[in-house]
Each structure stands twice: as C-alpha cells, then as structure tokens.
Amino acid sequence: MSAQTPDAPSIELINVSRRFIAPTGKSLTALKDFTMRVDEGEFVAVVGPTGCGKSTTLNLITGLNKPSAGEVRIFGQPVSGIDPRIGFVFQTDALFPWRNVIDNVVAGPMFRGRPKAEAYQAARDWLSRVGLSKFEHHYPHQLSGGMRKRVSLAQTFINEPKILLMDEPFSALDVQTRVLMHEELLKLWAGSKASVIFVTHDLEEAIALADKVYVLTSGPGMVKSVYPIGIPRPRVMAEIRYEPQFIDIAHTIWNDLRDEVQRSYRQAGLAA
Amino acid sequence: MTDITLEDRSTVPVGTSDAEIEQAALTSLRKRRQTVLFWRLAILVALLGGWELAGRMTWIDPFFYSIPTAIVARLYEWITQGTSEGPLWYHLYVTMEESLAGFFSGAITGVIIGVALGRNKMLSDVFSIYIKLINSVPRVVLAPIFIMLFGLGLGSKIALSFVMVFFVVFSNAFQGVVEADRNMIANAMILGANQWQLTRHVIIPSAMSWIFASLHVSFGFAIIGAIVGEFVGSRYGIGLLINIAKGSFDASGMYAAIIIIMVVALIAEYLMTSVEKRLAKWRPVPQHDTH
Ligand SMILES: Nc1ncnc2c1ncn2[C@@H]1O[C@H](COP(=O)(O)OP(=O)(O)O)[C@@H](O)[C@H]1O
Ligand SMILES: [Mg+2]
C-alpha cells in the first residue's frame, strides 16, 4: 500500500464518476468525468458551488468512498482503503470532545501504535508549534473556534501526512481568525511539503493559499478550468488580498465561477 | 413589549464595584436557595401533618391508610427487633443482591449487544424485528414464568431485573452508537484507528451520555424487577415483606417497606449521578444566571 512509483503525481483522479443511488432507486451523479492531478508538494485549491461534489472528491481520495467509474491513484497506486499517508481536516469539529487537547493530538500516533512516551512528546511538540502549550489539559468546549482548529491541525500534522486534504476547514471561523489560520497553515505546510487539496467556497481564500485553483461546474461536478496562481511565496496573508495581481486573478476566476454559482442557484430553485 | 430595563433587578448604580455586584449576587442566590428549602419543608410537614391529623381524627381509616407515626414506629421496630420473617437487614440484603445482579448483568449485556447491533447494519436489520417483538411484552408478566423456570430463589428475581434493565440500556446504547458523529468517525479512521480502536475510543464514549441516561432509570427498574419477583413468590426480600403485610392487613408495614425502597433508590440515584459527573467532566458546564 505504501509503494511509490517514481515521478508519479501525489494524487491523480482519472475520468472519475461517482453516482449515489437513493434507497428508492433514483440515482444522482455527483461527479462526472472528473480529472485532476496534484504533484508532489503542490497546494491545490478547489472552488465550486455548494453540492457540486467537492467533499465527494476528497472522500474518494481517502478511500472512505469508492468511484463508480474511473480511477483514483495516490503516488501512482490505486486507492485501496485508508492510506496512512493521508491527513484530513474537516469543516465541522471532528475533535473528540471527551478528550482533552493533548489526548486529542496524540490520538493518531497512539492509534498507529507508537510508544506512549514518544507519542506524547511529539504531541507536546506539535502543540507548541500551534501555540497551544498552555492548553494541553483543556477540553475542546473550553476553547475558541480558532483554537479548536489549531488543535485539529496539530492532530493532523502529527501523523506527518504526505497528502493533506482539507474540506472547507476554516469556513466556520470569523474573518480575522481565518486570516490567522491561513498564516498558520502555510507555516506548517512549508515545514512539511505535503501535497494539499484545499476545498473551499471562498475564492479569495483559494487564491491566497494555492499554487493552482480548480473551478468546478455546478453538479454533476466536472473540472471547468484550472488557474495557476503565480503569486510568489512566502505570501503575507494579511496583505495579499490588496495586491493588484491578486485582484486581477480574483476577477478572472470570479467571472468563470459566477456562472456556475448562478446555475447552481437556479437548479436549487427548480428542485425546491 | 414591556419595558425590561424598568424591571431588571441587575441594574446597579454607577460606580458599584465588581466585588459588590458579586457579593449581592451571592446573597440573592443564597436567599433563593433558602426560600426553596423552606417551601419544600413546609409542604412535607403539611402533608405528613395532614395525614397524621386525618388519621387521628378518623377522617380516613387508619386501619387502611395508617398514619406517619405508626409507620415510623414500624420502621423502628423492624430496624431494632427485626421483622416477623427475620432481620430486616437480611431482606434488604437479598433484594439489593438481586437488583444489583440484575442491573449489572442487564446493563453490561445491553451495552454489548446495543453496540454490536449499532455497529453492524446487517445484524440490526435482521434482529430489530425480534427485539421489537420481545420488547412489546410487558415485563412483569414474565415474573410467574421465571419463577416456574428458575424457582423461588435468587435466579428468578435476577432474571426479571435483567429483562427490565436490558431493553432500556440496549435501546439507548444502540441509539447512541447510531447517532455517533460521522465526521468524528471518519476523522478517527483517517488518523489510523482500526475497527476495535474506533469502537473503544470513539463509538462507546460518544454513546456514553445515552447509556448513562438509561442507567439512571434502569436501576429503578432493576429494583422493580426484584420486588415484583419477590412479590410473586419468594422466601426473602422487601417484596416478601410487602406481601406478608398485605396478607395481614398491616398498612404500616407496607408503607414502611415502601419507604425503605425509596431510600435505597435515592441513594442509588445519588451514586449514579456522582459517577456520571466524574466521567463526564469534559462536558460544558451550563452557565447559570443569578437572578
Ligand atoms: N452519501 C451520499 N448519498 C447520497 N447523495 C450524496 C451523498 N454524499 C453526497 N451526495 C450528493 O452528492 C452531491 C455532492 O455532494 P458534496 O460532495 O457533499 O458537495 P460539496 O461538498 O461540493 O458541497 C450533492 O448533491 C449531495 O447531495
Ligand atoms: Mg462539502
């Protein structure tokens, strides 16, 4: 499972389709002929209207979900089951509320059978990196939304994932906290050089963070266009959205995305 | 809409210090507690006093209704001299033994089967119909059957307690497992949990508040099971005392037995709550407003 074909992209989806069949027998195509490629160390953002299949795409890569047609590969190998090289950050809180902060962070290494002392040492290390050393023994409900997200990041990064999947991870945060989290994420990512797929419906967030932005069509989801983002790194998250280059790119992509968003509204309107 | 600010008692004059505000809040909190306690005691005294008075004035027949002082006297007699069937403590011991055995066996089996069916869609689809069927049987009608099957001793009472407890705990454990957060499960799996670790570290803890809710009520059910069993046929136990009191038209004896059961149930409830509090220290504490 952990075999690696040299020079293969980290993540590859080739003509992938995913159909959901309701118990009534009606089928719904969430993804159709979906093709995508993420190279090693690349940061890819995926934007698209709600319900266009973004979460479905990520689930296919984790192996929690299987494609109806086409192939999903990571490091050149077809996905079969949950790959230990993958890390996932969820939109909603996926922390274990009955565990305190450090026990949440240590979960991954402990599940994977690392010795206890070593695992806790690593957890303390990661907590200090996200600036939460003082909160080791707090429970998730005692933390702010931003702090809980930092715990999630530490919980994911401690496993040193080669592939990092993020499903609208910061969409529940207020704008200021979100910018801080962007800084935090880029810092952690720079230290890990993982390949990232970052799903969001916030176009500015996508451009600020990514090397490449994928725009999806409204459901069934297909790749509409791909935009390389040439803004040099390191980027300053607090300033980046006021730079002319950023505004230009945002304009171009928005023209593209707007049609899809409007179409998805119309579809939702017809369905309702 | 009424003007709220006019009635808001928390409005304080400008320049009041935090310490003063906190002091005032504490005082009003204490006062409120005292008022509640006062009314509770007052109602108790009024009820018991009314009962005693009505009995003594023979507005109600003390032969059937007894009176509080007679009940206390009977309790005192049982405690100091024992009952006609031997020492009170032995009867209490037998009833507790049956209840606890029924409670623990029922709760443990309920949790295990609830988690197993909750984790396995196929199993639960197949068995759910049978569980519904058995669950629709009123539990107490099983008492004579169990006595026939397991005899007059402990076995029949434990069996009855067991079925009383099992279904409550089972259905809550099952529900708790089914409602476990899907993202949390996915998170654990991606972090590297295998099926056993998932059950042990995610599914069971997240079903725990459901399970505890059922344990609260089901200890009461365990006692009911034991006592009904004793009632139907036994040689020892509080249920037997009630049965004998009934046979000899001893109203005081029946009420005395009921009071013993009440005390036991309240102690169990208290223990259960404190265990739950220790286990659930991760849960948010509700914020109280002090008015
Ligand atoms: N498990 C499922 N069963 C049935 N339909 C699903 C399931 N998961 C997703 N869908 C449908 O697939 C479409 C895409 O969903 P999703 O990937 O969650 O969209 P997004 O994350 O882009 O908002 C939606 O129409 C959704 O209703
Ligand atoms: Mg989604």
Side-chain angles (χ1 to χ4, degrees):
Chain A
M1 203 152 92
S2 53
Q4 194 157 345
T5 314
D7 297 331
S10 296
I11 307 168
E12 222 177 350
L13 288 93
I14 308 158
N15 286 325
V16 170
S17 296
R18 179 68 172 98
R19 241 187 324 277
F20 290 106
I21 315 275
T24 55
K26 248 184 78 128
S27 85
L28 180 144
T29 309
L31 284 181
K32 202 174 152 193
D33 299 329
F34 192 98
T35 297
M36 177 177 199
R37 173 195 165 105
V38 182
D39 287 319
E40 203 168 335
E42 195 176 28
F43 197 126
V44 166
V46 175
V47 292
T50 312
C52 73
K54 303 184 293 293
S55 301
T56 305
T57 312
L58 295 188
N59 284 335
L60 293 177
I61 301 167
T62 60
L64 286 171
N65 217 320
K66 288 186 175 44
S68 314
E71 194 170 18
V72 183
R73 294 164 168 264
I74 59 179
F75 299 112
Q77 303 293 317
V79 172
S80 60
I82 297 169
D83 194 289
R85 289 168 296 187
I86 289 181
F88 201 112
V89 182
F90 292 82
Q91 173 180 16
T92 53
D93 246 339
L95 295 175
F96 311 118
W98 51 84
R99 288 185 172 211
N100 63 22
V101 165
I102 189 143
D103 288 335
N104 261 289
V105 175
V106 90
M110 293 298 278
F111 287 152
R112 290 166 185 217
R114 248 167 92 179
K116 197 168 167 181
E118 197 186 308
Y120 273 89
Q121 193 47 52
R124 270 188 284 277
D125 186 38
W126 277 101
L127 278 178
S128 85
R129 280 192 229 189
V130 297
L132 287 178
S133 289
K134 287 210 204 88
F135 297 90
E136 270 183 28
H137 299 294
H138 283 57
Y139 284 89
H141 77 265
Q142 298 168 314
L143 306 178
S144 69
M147 287 156 98
R148 282 203 292 270
K149 266 285 113 81
R150 279 171 214 257
V151 179
S152 297
L153 289 180
Q155 187 186 51
T156 302
F157 272 94
I158 194 173
N159 277 336
E160 298 177 357
K162 292 265 140 261
I163 290 178
L164 180 60
L165 307 175
M166 308 182 83
D167 194 354
E168 308 193 21
F170 306 140
S171 61
L173 302 177
D174 61 80
V175 180
Q176 284 84 4
T177 313
R178 204 183 299 175
V179 173
L180 291 177
M181 294 310 299
H182 291 159
E183 294 276 6
E184 192 86 53
L185 172 62
L186 286 189
K187 193 183 79 191
L188 295 175
W189 172 66
S192 78
K193 276 298 160 199
S195 315
V196 183
I197 299 184
F198 187 103
V199 163
T200 174
H201 54 238
D202 178 352
L203 180 55
E204 293 196 357
E205 179 176 64
I207 299 169
L209 293 171
D211 297 319
K212 224 184 243 174
V213 174
Y214 276 68
V215 177
L216 305 193
T217 61
S218 62
M222 283 184 283
V223 179
K224 187 173 191 203
S225 24
V226 185
Y227 295 90
I229 309 296
I231 305 173
R233 296 185 192 273
R235 301 175 183 172
V236 183
M237 285 299 118
E239 306 290 334
I240 192 168
R241 61 201 69 220
Y242 307 111
E243 288 172 16
Q245 191 185 0
F246 181 97
I247 295 170
D248 275 353
I249 298 172
H251 229 103
T252 319
I253 305 183
W254 175 240
N255 278 332
D256 201 359
L257 183 59
R258 187 178 45 207
D259 300 339
E260 295 309 320
V261 173
Q262 283 169 351
R263 174 148 22 139
S264 113
Y265 274 135
R266 274 200 302 278
Q267 282 172 352
L270 285 181
Chain B
M1 289 290 269
T2 53
D3 190 352
I4 301 167
T5 49
L6 284 179
E7 301 195 327
D8 189 353
R9 279 182 290 149
S10 70
T11 311
V12 289
V14 180
T16 315
S17 75
D18 280 1
E20 279 169 334
I21 294 174
E22 280 162 15
Q23 190 55 47
L26 271 183
T27 314
S28 86
L29 197 66
R30 204 173 315 123
K31 246 199 192 138
R32 193 172 175 286
R33 264 195 222 122
Q34 281 168 355
T35 314
V36 170
L37 191 64
F38 169 79
W39 279 110
R40 284 178 177 173
L41 283 175
I43 289 171
L44 184 70
V45 168
L47 281 178
L48 290 181
W51 184 359
E52 182 82 26
L53 187 70
R56 297 219 175 235
M57 308 297 285
T58 60
W59 296 334
I60 56 175
D61 188 346
F63 181 77
F64 292 113
Y65 291 93
S66 189
I67 50 174
T69 45
I71 298 168
V72 172
R74 175 57 43 83
L75 268 178
Y76 182 74
E77 180 200 321
W78 278 359
I79 291 169
T80 53
Q81 295 157 35
T83 69
S84 60
E85 305 301 310
L88 174 67
W89 305 120
Y90 187 67
H91 291 293
L92 189 56
Y93 168 77
V94 169
T95 302
M96 290 317 296
E97 194 182 7
E98 295 158 354
S99 309
L100 287 173
F103 174 72
F104 281 108
S105 57
I108 291 170
T109 322
V111 169
I112 292 174
I113 298 190
V115 171
L117 291 205
R119 294 285 283 134
N120 190 322
K121 188 89 175 60
M122 192 65 196
L123 273 185
S124 76
D125 282 352
V126 171
F127 281 103
S128 58
I129 180 74
Y130 292 106
I131 283 170
K132 259 196 203 119
L133 267 179
I134 302 175
N135 194 21
S136 66
V137 176
R139 244 67 84 204
V140 288
V141 306
L142 296 174
I145 298 177
F146 285 153
I147 286 178
M148 199 172 71
L149 286 176
F150 304 118
L152 287 178
L154 284 186
S156 53
K157 290 28 165 222
I158 294 176
L160 195 59
S161 269
F162 175 93
V163 291
M164 300 278 298
V165 171
F166 171 80
F167 284 98
V168 184
V169 176
F170 163 80
S171 59
N172 269 48
F174 180 81
Q175 198 60 25
V177 168
V178 171
E179 307 227 329
D181 189 81
R182 298 180 70 93
N183 275 340
M184 209 188 289
I185 293 173
N187 191 23
M189 287 170 73
I190 293 169
L191 288 174
N194 58 31
Q195 283 301 316
W196 164 243
Q197 287 169 327
L198 191 63
T199 305
R200 162 80 182 68
H201 293 288
V202 182
I203 306 286
I204 292 181
S206 68
M208 217 51 204
S209 47
W210 283 84
I211 293 172
F212 254 103
S214 72
L215 293 186
H216 262 284
V217 277
S218 65
F219 190 74
F221 286 174
I223 297 179
I224 295 175
I227 288 185
V228 170
E230 289 165 357
F231 206 81
V232 174
S234 69
R235 282 185 286 270
Y236 308 101
I238 303 291
L240 175 78
L241 293 184
I242 297 180
N243 208 7
I244 286 172
K246 182 199 74 179
S248 56
F249 288 96
D250 173 14
S252 306
M254 284 198 264
Y255 288 112
I258 291 173
I259 287 175
I260 293 170
I261 297 166
M262 276 168 67
V263 170
V264 169
L266 285 175
I267 292 173
E269 162 78 24
Y270 171 78
L271 290 179
M272 199 83 72
T273 309
S274 49
V275 172
E276 189 180 3
K277 268 198 193 130
R278 287 181 66 100
L279 288 182
K281 59 181 188 294
W282 53 270
R283 245 186 265 158
V285 185
Q287 292 275 322
H288 290 294
D289 197 9
T290 51
H291 317 215

